Amino acid sequence: MIKKSLLCLLMLVCFNVLAEGKFPNLMFLDDKQQSPRANLTAVNWLTGHWRGEAFGGLVEEVWSPPYGWQHDGRI
C-alpha cells in the first residue's frame, strides 16, 4: 500500500514539474481583451458516426448533437 502511495505521489510531482514548462502553442488574450462568446459551431463537424482502424482493430464512435442543438451553435 505504501509503495502504491509513493508511486502516485512521485507521478504527481513529475506531472507538476512537466506542466510548469512553457507551451509554445498556447495563445493568450491581451490584458484588455475579452474572450469571444463561446458556442458549439466550432465542433459541429464532430457529430456523426465515425469508423476507422486504430489500436490494432476497428474503432467506432457515435457523436450525437447536444440536446437542444440549434444550427447557430446555441443550446
Side-chain angles (χ1 to χ4, degrees):
M1 179 71 177
I2 293 176
K3 287 183 181 180
K4 287 183 182 180
S5 297
L6 288 175
L7 179 62
C8 288
L9 180 64
L10 179 64
M11 287 176 56
L12 286 173
V13 169
C14 290
F15 289 143
N16 187 36
V17 168
L18 291 173
E20 297 213 4
K22 299 224 180 221
F23 294 97
N25 295 330
L26 289 181
M27 296 173 32
F28 296 95
L29 296 173
D30 292 331
D31 290 335
K32 304 271 181 179
Q33 285 182 307
Q34 289 187 346
S35 179
R37 187 171 169 91
N39 63 39
L40 295 173
T41 56
V43 293
N44 189 33
W45 63 271
L46 193 58
T47 301
H49 184 190
W50 301 88
R51 184 180 301 169
E53 290 188 31
F55 309 113
L58 182 66
V59 177
E60 291 186 80
E61 293 184 5
V62 177
W63 291 75
S64 301
Y67 180 76
W69 170 260
Q70 297 177 11
H71 291 289
D72 63 0
R74 292 182 295 140
I75 295 180

